Amino acid sequence: SGRLNELINNLLDLSKLEVADIAYDKREHMLSDIVRMIIDETEGLRRTKHIGIEFEVVGHEQSVICDRARIAQVITNLIGNA
C-alpha cells in the first residue's frame, strides 16, 4: 500500500507540474544527508530487488538549495525503477 500511495502522489505531483501549481520549499540542505536518508529508507525495497548502493562523499560535503522532499522523491524513484 505504501508503494501505491507513492505512485498516486507522483501522479498528482506530475499533474501539478503540468499546470505549474506545485510549490517548492527551497532551503539549504546537505545533499549527502538527503542521499543517506533515502538509502536508509529504501533498505527493504533494495533488499527485495537485490539493489546494492555504495555512497561515499569525496572531498568537502556540499550544501545545496533545494526542496528536500522533491529531491528525496527523485532519488527514491530512481531506486524504485532500478
Side-chain angles (χ1 to χ4, degrees):
S1 75
R3 180 74 176 141
L4 180 58
N5 284 335
E6 181 181 333
L7 290 171
I8 291 170
N9 287 333
N10 288 344
L11 287 172
L12 291 172
D13 288 345
L14 180 60
S15 67
K16 288 178 185 178
L17 279 173
E18 289 175 349
V19 295
D21 189 30
I22 196 163
Y24 294 100
D25 182 18
K26 295 179 184 177
R27 298 181 193 194
E28 187 172 354
H29 299 283
M30 297 301 290
L31 188 56
S32 60
D33 291 343
I34 299 171
V35 172
R36 285 185 187 105
M37 176 189 71
I38 298 306
I39 288 172
D40 289 344
E41 288 180 0
T42 59
E43 182 179 350
L45 171 66
R46 290 184 299 105
R47 189 178 302 131
T48 300
K49 295 178 92 174
H50 305 288
I51 299 171
I53 294 179
E54 292 183 26
F55 177 71
E56 177 182 350
V57 175
V58 178
H60 298 291
E61 293 196 42
Q62 297 294 314
S63 63
V64 294
I65 296 175
C66 67
D67 184 320
R68 182 182 182 102
R70 300 291 169 221
I71 296 298
Q73 181 180 24
V74 168
I75 298 168
T76 300
N77 288 345
L78 289 171
I79 293 170
N81 292 331

